[in-house]
Amino acid sequence: METPKIIVPPLLFVRDLLLGDEVTKSNRNLSDLKDLFQDVKSYETMDPETLLYEVYSYTPVQNDGKTGALNFGITHIYPGKVGQEYFMTKGHFHAQDNRAEYYWGIEGEGVLILMDRKRNVWGEKMFSGSLHYIPGGVAHRVANTGNKVLSFAACWPSDAGHDYEEIAEKGFSARLMEVDGIPQLI
Ligand code: S6P
Ligand code: ZN
């Protein structure tokens, strides 16, 4: 047996930051969500380089058929709208349809938009401390309804994979829009 040691973990989760040598970051600009917003005229008046969200991820095991590992990520969605539709993530099903996921709110305000395979849609409010269980077979997208950054964390199986195709082709069957100053799924 080796001498037992206590180490500093290689990952830190401080407020809304995920820090560590193996953390990767990706950005999504308005141009990455082309055709996902309803109001095409408003979309075209905006700078395609507008930053909508950034994702910090820790993926210790690559999706090589191994099961049992977990990924962790933090997403920051900036405040804003395209027309009356809030800035949001692309949204996806998992490629392995029965893989579930947890989301939890860190700061800011938003709505988790969920859609099952029958295209039934519902929403859950997100705020600091909100915890969301996303079952397998349920597509998930988050919209920022506040006027500051919305941050949330996610934990999902490393073999879940992402299926963006159905959302790219058909979208969700309801959109989160501001109507009379209130977020509504329509
Ligand atoms: C991964 C998890 C999140 C999202 C991220 C961006 O399963 O659900 O890390 O990837 O919030 O959303 P999207 O829909 O652009 O991947
Ligand atoms: Zn997911």
Side-chain angles (χ1 to χ4, degrees):
M1 191 187 107
E2 289 175 18
T3 310
K5 284 184 286 193
I6 296 174
I7 62 158
V8 175
L11 278 179
L12 289 174
F13 174 19
V14 185
R15 291 181 297 275
D16 64 345
L17 299 176
L18 182 60
L19 306 169
D21 288 348
E22 291 178 47
V23 173
T24 58
K25 184 186 177 207
S26 61
N27 290 340
R28 296 280 181 242
N29 295 332
L30 196 55
S31 60
D32 296 310
L33 277 79
K34 191 170 173 2
D35 301 327
L36 291 186
F37 290 98
Q38 185 176 52
D39 186 340
V40 176
K41 274 193 188 159
S42 297
Y43 179 93
E44 283 171 356
T45 63
M46 297 172 71
D47 180 352
E49 296 302 309
T50 305
L51 178 61
L52 296 195
Y53 61 99
E54 48 205 12
V55 185
Y56 296 82
S57 308
Y58 177 63
T59 55
V61 173
Q62 296 312 308
N63 183 12
D64 57 2
K66 286 193 196 123
T67 58
L70 293 170
N71 291 338
F72 189 89
I74 292 184
T75 303
H76 298 164
I77 310 180
Y78 288 87
K81 284 179 289 190
V82 178
Q84 293 306 110
E85 192 169 9
Y86 298 98
F87 283 3
M88 61 188 181
T89 59
K90 290 169 94 169
H92 58 270
F93 286 97
H94 289 156
Q96 297 260 25
D97 203 42
N98 66 359
R99 298 302 194 262
E101 181 162 5
Y102 277 107
Y103 275 7
W104 61 101
I106 301 172
E107 62 184 17
E109 286 172 30
V111 174
L112 168 61
I113 305 160
L114 299 158
M115 180 175 75
D116 66 20
R117 287 282 176 190
K118 292 180 179 162
R119 300 188 57 76
N120 297 306
V121 170
W122 66 103
E124 292 183 4
K125 287 190 179 186
M126 294 186 91
F127 47 88
S128 176
S130 65
L131 179 63
H132 311 268
Y133 177 68
I134 303 166
V138 172
H140 35 292
R141 161 183 279 170
V142 176
N144 183 346
T145 58
N147 50 23
K148 58 180 190 175
V149 173
L150 168 67
S151 305
F152 65 92
C155 185
W156 68 101
S158 62
D159 63 347
H162 295 87
D163 173 6
Y164 292 101
E165 257 176 49
E166 177 169 337
I167 305 304
E169 281 169 22
K170 297 192 204 158
F172 279 62
S173 47
R175 295 173 176 279
L176 196 74
M177 314 287 285
E178 185 182 88
V179 182
D180 299 330
I182 296 168
Q184 289 189 24
L185 276 172
I186 51 176

